[in-house]
Amino acid sequence: MNLPTEIVNPETGERIMFDESASNNERLVWDEVRPGNLEPPPVHYHPHTEERFEVTEGLLVVETDGDVQRIEVGEEVVIPPRTPHVSYAEAESARFRRTVSPPGQWREFLTARFAAVHEIGELSGVTGLLQTVLLIRTYPAVVVPEQPPRAVQRVLFPVLAVVAQGFGLKPHHQYPRPSTDGAEERRSDTSH
């Protein structure tokens, strides 16, 4: 998989710039811009990864176990592995440096998630649920939703993955290459 150094979610405006000079076999580092007032992702955890957020602009909200932390410029928070959490920007956008240790398949997962949005549109509704299930099953060591319970996920997600593939969805989409005028192109091949 060709992994770009910068990825953008065209629906939400989220932007990730991977810092290859700071990343290595022990950690993956990137700068992220998260617009304000986006619907927060579901509460989730990372089975093997420590996650560090250091805010460089704006304010980032991080919720863990009912504790709400408002992380301001120059502050950071560390989320240990297997800790259910969610992060989001409130009214204003936030820019932060994010580090995950170990890197695992984080870069592949993030690129696949943004590529899916470029290919099929916003990951919402039934199509979004099915596409998300495919991503979670493809990258199980990266992210695990807190709900439904893991026992239910183990039974339900394989069934939903088959349904997703029946609808022509797939776990990987090629991230669009920049066009010559600087705008991003959608893939012309729309077959799934």
Side-chain angles (χ1 to χ4, degrees):
M1 176 189 289
N2 182 16
L3 296 172
T5 57
E6 183 172 336
I7 57 176
V8 176
N9 181 324
E11 297 291 330
T12 64
E14 294 168 277
R15 180 177 301 272
I16 292 175
M17 292 83 48
F18 294 103
D19 186 341
E20 294 179 339
S21 65
S23 300
N24 56 37
N25 291 335
E26 296 177 13
R27 68 180 172 270
L28 177 65
V29 181
W30 67 90
D31 291 302
E32 185 168 339
V33 175
R34 180 139 347 130
N37 293 323
L38 293 179
E39 183 72 28
V43 175
H44 60 278
Y45 64 89
H46 310 294
H48 312 291
T49 308
E50 176 185 273
E51 188 174 23
R52 179 180 304 270
F53 299 91
E54 180 183 351
V55 176
T56 56
E57 289 179 29
L59 175 80
L60 184 69
V61 179
V62 178
E63 296 182 18
T64 55
D65 297 324
D67 180 34
V68 178
Q69 300 177 61
R70 286 177 166 70
I71 315 303
E72 297 180 4
V73 174
E75 297 179 337
E76 65 179 44
V77 64
V78 176
I79 310 295
R82 302 194 65 75
T83 302
H85 66 282
V86 64
S87 64
Y88 54 91
E90 291 180 315
E92 302 294 323
S93 67
R95 183 180 179 115
F96 48 95
R97 190 151 181 90
R98 200 161 159 191
T99 304
V100 293
S101 303
Q105 291 187 299
W106 269 81
R107 188 168 177 177
E108 293 85 352
F109 168 77
L110 292 167
T111 302
R113 186 172 71 110
F114 281 23
V117 175
H118 278 273
E119 183 74 22
I120 65 172
E122 185 177 358
L123 297 182
S124 63
V126 174
T127 301
L129 170 67
L130 295 174
Q131 183 65 53
T132 300
V133 166
L134 286 176
L135 289 170
I136 289 169
R137 288 190 42 82
T138 304
Y139 300 100
V142 175
V143 64
V144 176
E146 185 180 44
Q147 295 296 326
R150 280 299 276 160
V152 173
Q153 290 180 41
R154 286 186 185 103
V155 173
L156 183 60
F157 284 10
V159 173
L160 290 176
V162 170
V163 171
Q165 291 168 337
F167 278 104
L169 297 174
K170 56 187 178 182
H172 294 103
H173 301 275
Q174 182 164 341
Y175 189 82
R177 293 182 306 275
S179 66
T180 55
D181 66 1
E184 291 179 340
E185 301 175 353
R186 281 189 165 270
R187 283 187 49 207
S188 58
D189 173 16
T190 57
S191 64
H192 299 279

